Amino acid sequence: MPTVGNTIRLTPQAINRCRAAMVALMLPFAGVEAAPEEKEKEKSRPLLLTEVLQSVKTQYPPYLAAMIEQDIANGRARQAMGAFDLNLNAGGSFAPSGYYDGQTAYTMLEQPLTNWGGGVYGGYRLSSGFLPNYNKDRTSTDGAGILGFRIPLLRDGTIDRRRATLWQAQIDQELADPIIFRQYLDFIRAATISYYGWLSAGQRLSLTEELLRVAKERDSAIAQQVKNGASAPIVQVDNQRLVVSREIAVVQARRRLQAATIELSLFYRDLRSAEPILAPRTRLPSAFPTHSHPAESQLTVDIAKALIFRPEMRRIELTLEKTGIDRRLAKNNLLPSLELGVQAAQGTSSRLPSALERTEIEAKIEFKVPLQRREAKGRVEVADAQIERLNQEMLFARQRITADVRDSHSALLAAHEVLLQTRRNVDLAQQLATAEAERLKQGATDLLALQIREQASFDAKVLEVEAQSEYFRAHANYRAAIASDK
């Protein structure tokens, strides 16, 4: 949770983490365990996409790991604040041999300034023994209080390395948000696609089982006809072959559903333990959700929204801001160093040596400048080049986002059109299969023709299921492209 001054800023990721923690804390007080009939009802209730996405937001380990990026940024900001910690300095000196045998000791508190370079300090100094009059550490027997400050007038005034590091660390706190948001969009999209892949596999298994059921029912009727002499035995053999081939298709479809269930379990987790849940087949919805025709007129508005909300844009903007601080610091290092310092010493004893004043004030000014300043000039060139590179990245990011939105919108329109055509294809194939079955009853056709019609009807229904899955996959990609899932 980033802080600037005394202000606390809650990010959306931090809010989600708080919600997850509140849910975990409230679970032990949720009351008695549900009755067995309630558990059975839960198992038969269709699993909705919202449940899966809620599990991703609160229990998905990669997302929880991504949100730790914010904690890392907060720690680095606190670390940068350490450069402005109040410092305690203490020391002393003594002369074990020589003409002067005096000793000195001091204790100082020093506070670096955050609004301007330099710092203020104050403390206590004490000397004893015999020291020369010119020794600046010489005090009365009760010591002296010290108070002073150092202020840079040119270089390190408006900016220095400590403040630049702190400001960049605070930007990193904001920079964690688009990094987390980018992963969040990817996780939501992956979970959505996995959910509809699971639903598609379940629908396909149901169609395969229905096709097998028809073949088995027909096999009983054909067996009776063979027994009565109305059909040749080879007809029953052909239908038995068809039953076996459809049983193989059921096994393959069941395996496809198992694989989709296992993949979905990575996103759908237990609210208490966060362990993956293998959703039973009984929780499969009976049909895909309804869908609407994508509005072509919305594309321009969605592109504008994507350019605002896509995390890539915010990430580059914050990186530009960080690099701008590097450039300011490099420009600062081109300036000469002109530092002013003032120190006052106040004696605490009523009796002072004749060579000491009760109050002594000392002012110092120091000027330093590297004549060539190649390091600072090099840093300015590096910062300018990085800013130019980021501006180019910003330009391409805008173009890339626009292309992503256009492409995903085009894919969504195509998926919708294919879905409409597959539904018409199902109607036509079903009409042909029904008509062929009626002709077989009248003896106007044979079993092979009916099998072909049934297989065509099955293939059309499978294509419709795949088209629905593709539509919702395209819809998930489009929502991710416009950063709709905030």
Side-chain angles (χ1 to χ4, degrees):
M1 183 167 49
T3 60
V4 179
N6 295 324
T7 302
I8 299 177
R9 180 173 58 85
L10 282 176
T11 65
Q13 291 74 23
I15 293 174
N16 285 337
R17 295 176 64 188
C18 292
R19 288 174 178 169
M22 291 175 64
V23 170
L25 289 173
M26 291 300 296
L27 282 174
F29 307 99
V32 295
E33 189 175 354
E37 58 271 15
E38 292 295 329
K39 289 186 176 181
E40 291 300 322
K41 185 178 180 180
E42 175 69 19
K43 290 181 180 179
S44 62
R45 183 175 57 83
L47 176 62
L48 302 179
L49 177 61
T50 53
E51 296 179 63
V52 177
L53 298 185
Q54 183 62 30
S55 179
V56 171
K57 296 173 185 177
T58 58
Q59 304 291 343
Y60 190 50
Y63 181 52
L64 299 180
M67 288 195 294
I68 296 177
E69 186 69 28
Q70 187 68 66
D71 298 330
I72 295 174
N74 294 343
R76 288 174 177 165
R78 183 184 292 272
Q79 179 182 351
M81 281 293 296
F84 300 94
D85 286 347
L86 181 65
N87 296 313
L88 172 63
N89 302 324
S93 64
F94 69 98
S97 65
Y99 181 75
Y100 297 104
D101 63 350
Q103 300 88 34
T104 61
Y106 67 90
T107 301
M108 292 288 178
L109 289 174
E110 182 176 4
Q111 176 62 63
L113 300 178
T114 57
N115 297 328
W116 195 267
V120 296
Y121 60 91
Y124 179 77
R125 185 169 62 208
L126 176 66
S127 68
S128 63
F130 182 44
L131 290 172
N133 291 342
Y134 56 79
N135 192 316
K136 296 184 179 299
D137 294 334
R138 183 166 171 256
T139 68
S140 66
T141 56
D142 292 334
I146 305 297
L147 183 64
F149 65 89
R150 294 186 297 273
I151 294 294
L153 301 179
L154 294 177
R155 188 170 66 185
D156 295 342
T158 57
I159 187 173
D160 58 13
R161 171 54 60 186
R162 294 177 303 179
R163 281 173 288 165
T165 301
L166 174 60
W167 295 338
Q168 290 181 331
Q170 291 173 338
I171 293 175
D172 283 336
Q173 289 180 293
E174 297 184 57
L175 192 57
D177 289 345
I179 294 174
I180 296 172
F181 188 32
R182 176 68 270 169
Q183 297 183 69
Y184 170 79
L185 292 175
D186 292 339
F187 296 150
I188 292 296
R189 174 173 55 185
T192 303
I193 292 174
S194 178
Y195 173 80
Y196 286 114
W198 170 72
L199 178 53
S200 172
Q203 295 280 330
R204 182 164 184 159
L205 177 58
S206 297
L207 292 174
T208 308
E209 290 175 339
E210 175 62 20
L211 195 64
L212 174 61
R213 183 191 64 79
V214 171
K216 285 184 175 181
E217 288 181 354
R218 185 185 301 119
D219 190 65
S220 301
I222 293 175
Q224 186 63 36
Q225 292 176 358
V226 171
K227 184 178 180 180
N228 297 335
S231 296
I234 194 64
V235 176
Q236 185 177 12
V237 173
D238 186 26
N239 193 74
Q240 289 175 345
R241 176 202 60 79
L242 183 64
V243 169
V244 172
S245 65
R246 292 180 179 180
E247 286 177 340
I248 294 173
V250 168
V251 173
Q252 293 172 338
R254 186 179 296 117
R255 167 64 190 124
R256 185 191 296 251
L257 176 60
Q258 291 171 349
T261 303
I262 294 172
E263 180 183 355
L264 181 64
S265 69
L266 295 176
F267 302 100
Y268 180 49
R269 295 173 176 268
D270 183 79
L271 190 59
R272 294 177 179 270
S273 63
E275 289 298 318
I277 297 177
L278 294 173
R281 187 179 176 183
T282 54
R283 298 211 62 188
L284 277 166
S286 59
F288 280 87
T290 58
H291 68 281
S292 58
H293 187 281
E296 298 187 35
S297 59
Q298 189 68 17
L299 179 60
T300 303
V301 176
D302 286 340
I303 290 176
K305 289 181 179 178
L307 292 174
I308 296 174
F309 295 115
R310 278 279 287 265
E312 296 92 326
M313 301 299 296
R314 182 60 177 161
R315 179 187 62 81
I316 297 177
E317 289 172 359
L318 291 172
T319 305
L320 268 170
E321 192 174 340
K322 282 186 63 178
T323 309
I325 293 176
D326 283 335
R327 188 178 187 279
R328 285 181 57 195
L329 183 61
K331 286 283 190 179
N332 167 78
N333 293 339
L334 286 174
L335 299 174
S337 174
L338 180 62
E339 187 173 273
L340 173 66
V342 176
Q343 175 176 298
Q346 177 69 40
T348 58
S349 176
S350 58
R351 300 179 61 186
L352 296 173
S354 58
L356 290 178
E357 296 289 340
R358 182 173 300 277
T359 301
E360 294 182 347
I361 298 177
E362 179 184 15
K364 295 188 296 184
I365 189 167
E366 184 179 34
F367 178 84
K368 291 189 300 183
V369 58
L371 296 180
Q372 293 174 296
R373 296 178 291 178
R374 288 178 293 186
E375 180 184 3
K377 293 177 180 178
R379 288 183 180 274
V380 172
E381 292 175 359
V382 169
D384 287 338
Q386 289 176 338
I387 290 174
E388 178 60 25
R389 183 185 65 185
L390 288 170
N391 284 328
Q392 293 297 324
E393 290 181 6
M394 175 77 78
L395 176 62
F396 183 73
R398 295 179 64 89
Q399 297 170 348
R400 177 75 267 176
I401 290 172
T402 302
D404 285 346
V405 176
R406 291 186 183 278
D407 183 62
S408 58
H409 187 266
S410 174
L412 185 59
L413 289 174
H416 181 266
E417 183 177 354
V418 169
L419 179 56
L420 296 180
Q421 294 298 329
T422 56
R423 286 178 175 172
R424 175 167 172 76
N425 188 33
V426 168
D427 292 339
L428 296 174
Q430 188 62 43
Q431 291 179 29
L432 290 173
T434 302
E436 199 68 39
E438 186 64 28
R439 293 184 65 200
L440 181 64
K441 290 180 182 179
Q442 298 173 359
T445 187
D446 56 11
L447 182 61
L448 179 60
L450 179 59
Q451 292 174 1
I452 293 174
R453 296 300 187 191
E454 287 178 346
Q455 185 63 41
S457 177
F458 169 77
D459 292 342
K461 292 177 181 178
V462 170
L463 283 176
E464 182 191 12
V465 169
E466 292 179 350
Q468 290 188 84
S469 178
E470 180 60 30
Y471 171 84
F472 286 105
R473 182 183 298 111
H475 190 264
N477 290 333
Y478 186 66
R479 290 181 64 85
I482 64 175
S484 179
D485 295 302
K486 301 181 184 61

